[in-house]
Amino acid sequence: GESVGLHLPTLSVQEGDNSIINCAYSNSASDYFIWYKQESGKGPQFIIDIRSNMDKRQGQRVTVLLNKTVKHLSLQIAATQPGDSAVYFCAENTGGFKTIFGAGTRLFVKA
Amino acid sequence: DTAVSQTPKYLVTQMGNDKSIKCEQNLGHDTMYWYKQDSKKFLKIMFSYNNKELIINETVPNRFSPKSPDKAHLNLHINSLELGDSAVYFCASSQGEAGAHLRLTQYFGPGTRLTVL
């Protein structure tokens, strides 16, 4: 069956440290991957995306790494801030409009 | 100037009732979606419309019926509500007729928390 990501794990980091959120996907035909951030009481918000022909993409304080060999995706957040506390979802697309979301990772940032 | 809005934000109702959730986007997008998020935060696609045409219809009970009167609106009607329908429902939109980045970058509404008693 379809599955992206892990059951909701929690990551706790100290403010100022770097965070790494991991995601495993199962569909080797997926060609587009997206990370979303969901703050409490809000809808998910796009962070960064990456195509399958890339293995790294950088944004502002965020970097996404894609390892197609082991079907693994990671989101790195530099100098994590309290405002980064949220649930993070990886999502995959194999074409068309259907995007499959992973189970999410809750990030706690300790001040 | 909210991009994707949903009403109501909270909905508490009895089992067996019929209810509707409304969604509007002012982004000029032509593709809209409904997602269900359960208590474990798992987010699952239910429906998607592109230019008012249904393009995604997941294995959702037929008690759920989406309606898209125009490209800016996608409403969700639920008949005979059951306890298991309790969840947060998210509407989203994206620019469908575009490359992958725009097509798949979805803008989500704030969600509607449905509680069935």
Side-chain angles (χ1 to χ4, degrees), chain A residues 37-45 83 85-87 89, chain B residues 6 9-10 37 41 43 88-91 108-113:
Chain A
K37 172 188 180 183
Q38 185 178 19
E39 296 177 83
S40 181
K42 297 183 179 179
Q45 182 180 18
S85 292
V87 176
F89 295 94
Chain B
Q6 298 178 225
K9 187 164 176 63
Y10 299 96
Q37 186 172 51
K41 295 293 187 183
L43 199 62
V88 181
Y89 291 85
F90 286 100
C91 176
F108 283 79
T112 296
R113 181 174 294 277

Side-chain angles (χ1 to χ4, degrees), chain A residues 32 36 38 49 96 98, chain B residues 37 58 90 101 103-104 106:
Chain A
Y32 194 79
Y36 282 89
Q38 185 178 19
D49 55 8
K98 183 176 175 183
Chain B
Q37 186 172 51
E58 289 296 287
F90 286 100
H101 172 69
R103 175 166 49 84
L104 300 173
Q106 297 180 38

